[in-house]
Amino acid sequence: RRLELLRQLPEELADALPPSDTVTEADYRSLVTLLAESRRAIRTQEEQRYGDMVDYYTMWAHQIKTPIASMRLTLQNEDSDLARSLSGDLMRVEQYVEMVLVFLRLDSSTTDYVIRAHSLDDIVRPAVRKFAGEFIRRRLRLDYQPLDRTVVTDAKWLGFVVEQVLSNALKYTRSGSVSITLEAPKTLCIRDTGIGIAPEDLPRVFEKGYTGSNGRTDKRATGIGLYLCRRILAKLGHSITIVSTPGVGTTVRIGLEQDALEVE
């Protein structure tokens, strides 16, 4: 029994040890108790440091939005190639800030999911409008017709996912088009005619920090976007799959069929 207890965590071990029959056993109990108390103290300190870090970066992300908004207003008064280019760069900065907030909120016990029935077009259109300037500047065609479908989801979080997928499509599509369609019954498909994903990279695209060969070529890649998309969609009861052919393009499918979520 004591050998089995030795394999347990010190906290559990300290509570489960049988009464001491000898001085050696009493000394052993004392050592285990001290070890358990030390681990509890270390864990408390780590949790405090992590909480402080989350609070700081959350505050930073919200504060940085003010100068970003100011710069965007300034650029809106300019009509030049430089202003349009800077607007595109500023939009990417906004995306990175939003990714920070999503990353911090993802494991929070107070994440603000609001599950309701939404028009899918009301979620997709704002993301399309956000990237309209990029489509024009890059001379890429957007194929999008009204989807006319209602889905049960959280509009804000699903909108973040759609933006991330569109951002990737734009990042890796040098010419051609991006299309947004719906496959029966409720699968949102975003296709591009970009450079595609290497077969050896495809199984790992949802891993945190994995950028693959494309990411090694494009230094802007973080390997976080698709990881966040998968985590968010799993929490919403949705799914995501990717098929891709190098040199032909990539298709991302977001499965929205799951209606078993509790509607608020």
Side-chain angles (χ1 to χ4, degrees):
R1 171 173 167 75
R2 288 191 174 88
L3 287 175
E4 292 177 357
L5 291 173
L6 283 171
R7 299 188 181 98
Q8 298 178 28
L9 293 174
E11 290 88 343
E12 299 171 347
L13 183 58
D15 295 334
L17 281 172
S20 303
D21 297 327
T22 65
V23 173
T24 301
E25 290 177 350
D27 290 342
Y28 178 75
R29 172 184 282 277
S30 297
L31 287 173
V32 170
T33 300
L34 288 172
L35 178 60
E37 291 174 352
S38 176
R39 287 192 57 170
R40 288 191 189 102
I42 292 172
R43 183 178 294 115
T44 299
Q45 291 173 359
E46 290 176 348
E47 289 173 351
Q48 181 63 49
R49 281 197 294 266
Y50 177 75
D52 290 343
M53 182 189 69
V54 169
D55 290 343
Y56 171 77
Y57 283 112
T58 300
M59 178 188 66
W60 174 87
H62 283 294
Q63 288 181 335
I64 203 67
K65 287 183 176 184
T66 300
I68 288 174
S70 176
M71 286 186 282
R72 180 161 298 285
L73 286 173
T74 301
L75 290 171
Q76 284 177 352
N77 297 323
E78 299 288 336
D79 186 15
S80 65
D81 290 340
L82 177 59
R84 285 188 286 272
S85 177
L86 290 174
S87 292
D89 291 337
L90 190 59
M91 182 184 65
R92 280 185 285 275
V93 173
E94 288 179 300
Q95 279 186 281
Y96 296 145
V97 171
E98 190 61 32
M99 287 174 67
V100 170
L101 285 172
V102 168
F103 191 86
L104 293 173
R105 292 169 179 163
L106 205 54
D107 293 318
S108 172
S109 59
T110 58
T111 298
D112 56 342
Y113 293 111
V114 180
I115 307 301
R116 292 177 181 165
H118 294 275
S119 165
L120 187 55
D121 288 301
D122 288 345
I123 298 173
V124 173
R125 280 197 195 101
V128 169
R129 284 196 296 267
K130 184 172 184 177
F131 292 103
E134 282 289 292
F135 276 101
I136 295 170
R137 189 171 65 86
R138 303 271 300 282
R139 293 185 173 88
L140 296 174
R141 187 175 75 254
L142 172 65
D143 297 325
Y144 167 58
Q145 297 296 325
L147 305 171
D148 295 324
R149 196 61 53 93
T150 298
V151 295
V152 177
T153 190
D154 179 285
K156 183 182 74 174
W157 288 87
L158 181 58
F160 172 85
V161 171
V162 173
E163 286 185 11
Q164 285 298 310
V165 175
L166 280 176
S167 177
N168 283 349
L170 281 165
K171 186 187 299 182
Y172 297 113
T173 302
R174 300 189 179 100
S175 63
S177 65
V178 176
S179 66
I180 303 173
T181 58
L182 192 71
E183 292 182 355
K186 292 181 182 179
T187 299
L188 181 65
C189 298
I190 300 177
R191 296 182 176 86
D192 65 58
T193 57
I195 61 177
I197 302 171
E200 63 270 22
D201 292 333
L202 202 53
R204 301 186 61 189
V205 293
F206 295 112
E207 293 181 14
K208 182 169 66 175
Y210 187 77
T211 59
S213 56
N214 289 345
R216 288 187 287 274
T217 302
D218 185 350
K219 302 304 180 183
R220 295 174 300 172
T222 62
I224 296 295
L226 287 176
Y227 164 78
L228 293 176
C229 289
R230 182 183 62 81
R231 291 281 309 276
I232 290 168
L233 291 172
K235 286 177 177 289
L236 293 175
H238 304 323
S239 64
I240 183 170
T241 58
I242 297 179
V243 294
S244 185
T245 303
V248 176
T250 299
T251 299
V252 179
R253 289 182 172 86
I254 301 173
L256 306 169
E257 297 87 353
Q258 176 60 271
D259 286 348
L261 298 175
E262 182 180 349
V263 180
E264 296 188 7

